[in-house]
Amino acid sequence: MTLLAFMILAALAVSGFLLNRSAALAIQAGGTRTHSLAYFHGLYALLSVLVPVFVVICVYLVLKTPVINGMVIGGLPDGVLDDMSAGQVDLVLATIQSITRGQTFGTPPDWQLAAAERLTSLYAGADLLMVVVVAALSAVILFFVRRQVAAEFRARQAAERIVHGLMVACSLVAILTTVGIVFALVYEAYRFFEMVPVMDFLFGTRWEPQIPIRADQVAAVGAFGWLPVILGTVVIGTVAMLIATPIGLLTAIYLNEFAPKSVRAVVKPVLEILSGVPTVVYGFFAILVVAPALRGTGADLGIAVSSNTALAAGGVMGIMLIPFISSFADDALTAVPRSLRDGSLALGATRGETMLKVLFPAAIPGIVGGILLAVSRAIGETMIVVMAAGLIARMTINPLDSVTTVTVQIVTLLIGDTAFDNPKTLAAFALGLMLFILTLGINILALRIVRKYREIYD
Amino acid sequence: MNDMRLTERGVETKQIKMKARGVEVFYGDTHAIKSVDVDIEDHTVTAFIGPSGCGKSTFLRCLNRMNDTIDICRVTGDIHLDGEDIYDPRIDPVQLRAKVGMVFQKPNPFPKSIYDNVAYGPKIHGLARTKAELDEIVEKSLRRAAIWNEVKDRLDAPGTGLSGGQQQRLCIARAVATGPEVLLMDEPCSALDPIATAQVEELIDELRQSYSVVIVTHSMQQAARVSQKTAFFHLGTLVEFGETSKIFTNPEDPRTESYITGRIG
Ligand SMILES: Nc1ncnc2c1ncn2[C@@H]1O[C@H](COP(=O)(O)OP(=O)(O)OP(=O)(O)O)[C@@H](O)[C@H]1O
Ligand SMILES: [Mg+2]
């Protein structure tokens, strides 16, 4: 039925286009100059029909199920829903819905059968109504739009206004989604902080996110101090950046200034492949290659290395970030005007001196921006650490220990039993909020620096 | 040009600083410079003139091997500096460029302080052993570039914050600071107002005392004002080369005459 509605809409919109265009052409054929080209008259008709009716269909699709469900529940005989919790009412609704699909368990009571029948007929009626409304609305709009065609009608401006509105609406989607996510995060985190004091969370040094299953279970009272968790993130992020920054920068410098064309032609695509590897695959690499190698080396040297180490996770994450940093630095170096390079060379500087003393310093703001963006990726990276870092939160900065990170904890907190009424699950939102604030801060800083750097040369 | 000075110049015998013979330059398949012979004399300002795209900048860049930095560029022929072939494999282009400095058409100060811009060359070449010596070189260079009074109170300010004319004089100071023997200037005044132009021209005349200067210019008046020798390029060939006064008053080649009088270009 929905498909039919869309087809009617499309057909009417296209005929609106043809109708108005030919009307405008007819005016032109009569020797009068129209303000807008005939094509714009057609476009105006097309958009005038398409946009509002499309919105109507979308609204219908969103509202259909909740409204009809509400009508069915509201229409149930008195008494059947007495003393039911919200969950039980949902269950009744689900039973009724499964009856409409022909799935019944035993013989359902008569009131459920009646409700199921009502549900089916409501759906059919609603769909029919929708198709009729769509057809009628399109036709009415078409009629009015057709009458607007005139020599002096500014169809181009009108069509542009509609397109402009569409663009605003599209950008609003992104903004509203962000606002929604932030709101949900803040709201759930607020609920968490009602159960766990903010100070305990921010400054606590124990992270043991259990909750008592029975009221008298004393031993399992959790502790929600995020310091060990964020410390784990910091340790792994530091290891990653210590590996990615020098390698990435040297790669970029080499490629930008010293590499022969043939080497560049090979290395650049390889780096792009590296940045296209899914993080899960990096996770395999960390568990199957890096971690055993580290343990083996540790055993040879007589150092105890746990099986999950910050070093393995951070190291692999560092490798993941190399192409990110090197491509950013490469861009920044390339953006330094050639005249500076020539100026330095003409003074008798070597290419090395030119790179070190002129190009690199000139590119530093862009490079720093890239590094900061890499940091916020390292902080937010989940898959590698879920696979290769540990689960136990420990106050340690030893990279050979097993540590856990904010993202790992969010994942583990939300796996399995997810009732959003206890501090264990809500803690995930508090952690998420902190992570969001942290990366937002870093990104803002990075973008500031990058923008300032653009201003110098543009 | 008055005749007195003309004869005076004629009798002056000057040492030849740079000698170019049969220089050819190719950009890929484009033949940009065709068999050019030029002598650059010491303590002389030599002007390169000619219509746009005739190869003036290209030839200028041959003189300090800046063409090496352009991948597709190929230079053949002989260019000697003080009798030494500068394209000899044993010659290090880096050292050559310390001796043959260059000022570009567009001012290109480094995004560093004014002081560091000027100190850049002396530092790389180890010309100063102490900070005091370096300070002295910087001040002397800035004075020679006629910009000292304008910047002496803000040596720590970024060089990119100066006006276009000041930036160009800063770049001249930067080139002078390494103590070159030859100074190449590619349209150094094209971004400058008449006052700054006059200052730079005065500076060029003064620089002639210590260096030989080669200047590319589109302004006939400027060439006539500052140079003693003029080379006229056309479509990659050197059409005429000689005393400036002769080129401007009594050119031998009809193409030179029509260019100077504004008929080609
Ligand atoms: N980097 C380059 N790559 C390819 N061709 C070049 C390059 N630089 C210059 N050329 C070509 O060489 C010829 C001479 O150019 P050149 O820049 O030397 O001219 P010019 O006399 O300095 O002109 P102008 O007065 O406009 O600066 C031109 O035909 C130009 O297209
Ligand atoms: Mg030029």
Side-chain angles (χ1 to χ4, degrees):
Chain A
M1 278 305 231
T2 319
L3 185 65
L4 179 65
F6 277 118
M7 274 157 56
I8 293 175
L9 172 59
L12 285 175
V14 169
S15 51
F17 177 85
L18 297 173
L19 217 60
N20 272 26
R21 193 181 59 167
S22 59
L25 285 175
I27 294 177
Q28 286 172 358
T32 326
R33 266 181 63 98
T34 53
H35 167 271
S36 306
L37 296 175
Y39 159 80
F40 282 110
H41 283 277
L43 190 66
Y44 171 66
L46 180 88
L47 290 172
S48 304
V49 175
L50 206 57
V51 176
V53 181
F54 186 79
V55 170
V56 166
I57 296 180
C58 288
V59 169
Y60 164 78
L61 288 177
V62 170
L63 291 183
K64 175 169 80 168
T65 312
V67 167
I68 290 182
N69 284 349
M71 284 167 71
V72 169
I73 293 291
L76 289 180
D78 291 343
V80 274
L81 292 182
D82 285 355
D83 311 328
M84 278 195 181
S85 71
Q88 283 164 320
V89 172
D90 282 347
L91 208 62
V92 169
L93 192 62
T95 318
I96 295 171
Q97 278 165 347
S98 61
I99 294 173
T100 62
R101 289 192 298 269
Q103 300 162 337
T104 52
F105 303 98
T107 5
D110 281 347
W111 60 268
Q112 285 189 359
L113 288 175
E117 212 160 284
R118 191 166 141 73
L119 191 66
T120 319
S121 67
L122 276 177
Y123 267 123
D127 279 349
L128 190 66
L129 184 68
M130 190 262 299
V131 171
V132 171
V133 166
V134 164
L137 193 59
S138 308
V140 169
I141 295 175
L142 200 61
F143 175 71
F144 280 107
V145 170
R146 170 65 188 83
R147 288 196 0 180
Q148 282 182 307
V149 179
E152 66 278 14
F153 176 58
R154 299 179 170 232
R156 180 169 53 81
Q157 274 92 332
E160 276 166 359
R161 260 200 306 281
I162 298 176
V163 172
H164 183 100
L166 276 179
M167 291 190 289
V168 171
C170 289
S171 54
L172 274 183
V173 170
I175 294 172
L176 289 181
T177 318
T178 315
V179 169
I181 290 174
V182 172
F183 180 78
L185 213 51
V186 169
Y187 176 72
E188 302 289 352
Y190 174 75
R191 282 178 55 200
F192 171 76
F193 288 127
E194 278 179 340
M195 298 177 214
V196 176
V198 181
M199 288 300 153
D200 287 4
F201 176 75
L202 285 182
F203 300 110
T205 55
R206 280 171 55 235
W207 177 261
E208 286 145 20
Q210 306 99 340
I211 40 163
I213 297 170
R214 297 186 314 273
D216 57 340
Q217 203 178 17
V218 184
V221 173
F224 292 96
W226 85 312
L227 285 183
V229 184
I230 184 68
L231 193 64
T233 294
V234 169
V235 169
I236 289 188
T238 309
V239 171
M241 295 313 295
L242 282 181
I243 289 177
T245 311
I247 297 183
L249 289 187
L250 288 178
T251 309
I253 289 177
Y254 173 69
L255 285 182
N256 198 277
E257 184 65 30
F258 300 103
K261 267 211 180 103
S262 50
V263 173
R264 199 180 153 87
V266 175
V267 176
K268 270 244 149 190
V270 170
L271 281 175
E272 262 147 41
I273 292 173
L274 202 59
S275 67
V277 174
T279 52
V280 183
V281 177
Y282 280 110
F284 291 149
F285 180 59
I287 313 176
L288 299 180
V289 182
V290 180
L294 276 179
R295 213 164 343 135
T297 318
D300 290 347
L301 296 174
I303 307 169
V305 179
S306 59
S307 58
N308 294 318
T309 59
L311 193 59
V316 172
M317 196 193 284
I319 292 170
M320 178 191 84
L321 293 175
I322 288 172
F324 192 74
I325 291 188
S326 75
S327 78
F328 231 94
D330 193 26
D331 288 350
L333 286 173
T334 308
V336 177
R338 199 193 144 86
S339 64
L340 288 185
R341 195 167 152 265
D342 285 350
S344 170
L345 291 175
L347 285 171
T350 62
R351 284 159 91 185
E353 287 163 341
T354 302
M355 171 53 73
L356 206 65
K357 297 191 173 150
V358 175
L359 301 187
F360 194 75
I364 273 185
I367 291 171
V368 170
I371 291 177
L372 283 180
L373 289 179
V375 169
S376 72
R377 271 191 70 173
I379 293 174
E381 170 54 36
T382 314
M383 204 34 96
I384 295 175
V385 280
V386 166
M387 294 170 82
L391 288 177
I392 316 284
R394 251 189 244 150
M395 286 296 275
T396 175
I397 54 166
N398 176 4
L400 295 178
D401 261 345
S402 140
V403 295
T404 191
T405 70
V406 177
T407 49
V408 170
Q409 286 307 310
I410 292 178
V411 171
T412 48
L413 289 173
L414 292 180
I415 280 176
D417 160 40
T418 47
F420 291 101
D421 55 358
N422 59 57
K424 177 175 172 270
T425 34
L426 289 177
F429 292 96
L431 286 180
L433 184 66
M434 300 308 287
L435 204 58
F436 174 73
I437 293 173
L438 206 62
T439 41
L440 184 72
I442 293 175
N443 281 0
I444 289 177
L445 193 66
L447 290 178
R448 273 255 173 102
I449 293 175
V450 171
R451 193 170 311 148
K452 195 166 156 218
Y453 146 82
R454 294 238 163 87
E455 277 166 12
I456 301 177
Y457 296 122
D458 290 350
Chain B
M1 298 292 147
N2 70 49
D3 292 342
M4 265 306 285
R5 278 180 62 199
L6 225 161
T7 43
E8 211 175 84
R9 274 186 204 168
V11 291
E12 259 179 275
T13 45
K14 286 196 182 124
Q15 215 190 330
I16 291 177
K17 189 74 186 165
M18 297 193 83
K19 195 164 109 181
R21 288 294 175 270
V23 175
E24 314 261 349
V25 181
F26 301 87
Y27 289 109
D29 291 336
T30 320
H31 198 169
I33 293 285
K34 294 159 196 156
S35 185
V36 168
D37 300 346
V38 172
D39 289 331
I40 311 285
E41 291 172 1
D42 211 1
H43 303 293
T44 304
V45 178
T46 307
F48 289 176
I49 59 171
S52 190
C54 66
K56 306 178 294 293
S57 304
T58 302
F59 185 72
L60 197 69
R61 284 200 304 268
C62 293
L63 298 179
N64 66 345
R65 293 188 59 176
M66 277 304 280
N67 280 331
D68 292 13
T69 66
I70 300 170
D71 290 336
I72 56 167
C73 186
R74 196 158 56 79
V75 180
T76 63
D78 284 328
I79 302 179
H80 291 261
L81 172 67
D82 290 331
E84 233 183 334
D85 182 3
I86 64 169
Y87 280 86
D88 189 285
R90 280 169 306 179
I91 294 282
D92 182 0
V94 166
Q95 280 170 350
L96 170 72
R97 289 179 200 138
K99 284 195 226 160
V100 184
M102 185 164 199
V103 175
F104 295 82
Q105 178 169 1
K106 202 171 145 245
N108 57 350
F110 302 133
K112 300 170 180 287
S113 72
I114 293 172
Y115 183 93
D116 287 339
N117 261 286
V118 182
Y120 182 80
K123 269 190 198 159
I124 328 181
H125 298 297
L127 299 183
R129 264 159 301 154
T130 61
K131 175 86 168 74
E133 271 180 37
L134 190 61
D135 288 349
E136 200 189 305
I137 294 178
V138 169
E139 178 174 344
K140 213 174 93 203
S141 309
L142 287 168
R143 279 191 194 282
R144 300 198 74 173
I147 191 182
W148 171 252
N149 287 331
E150 287 156 75
V151 299
K152 64 169 184 271
D153 301 324
R154 45 173 173 150
L155 291 175
D156 292 330
T160 38
L162 296 173
S163 79
Q166 289 172 327
Q167 287 187 10
Q168 190 61 301
R169 279 178 285 150
L170 177 63
C171 292
I172 294 175
R174 190 175 69 181
V176 168
T178 45
E181 297 165 17
V182 180
L183 192 60
L184 311 175
M185 303 175 117
D186 193 349
E187 300 182 39
C189 299
S190 62
L192 305 189
D193 68 35
I195 296 173
T197 302
Q199 280 169 336
V200 171
E201 285 179 5
E202 211 170 296
L203 170 69
I204 291 171
D205 202 53
E206 201 236 279
L207 292 175
R208 181 162 75 93
Q209 309 306 318
S210 354
Y211 315 118
S212 75
V213 178
V214 184
I215 176 171
V216 173
T217 177
H218 275 289
S219 153
M220 297 306 111
Q221 291 85 346
Q222 184 171 55
R225 276 195 304 265
V226 301
S227 71
Q228 288 81 50
K229 290 283 188 123
T230 297
F232 171 64
F233 288 82
H234 186 56
L235 300 175
T237 54
L238 179 67
V239 173
E240 195 164 350
F241 177 53
E243 299 286 333
T244 300
S245 48
K246 171 138 189 313
I247 298 257
F248 279 93
T249 50
N250 188 15
E252 277 169 17
D253 197 287
R255 284 172 292 177
T256 316
E257 188 178 2
S258 35
Y259 180 69
I260 292 169
T261 52
R263 266 171 295 171
I264 43 172

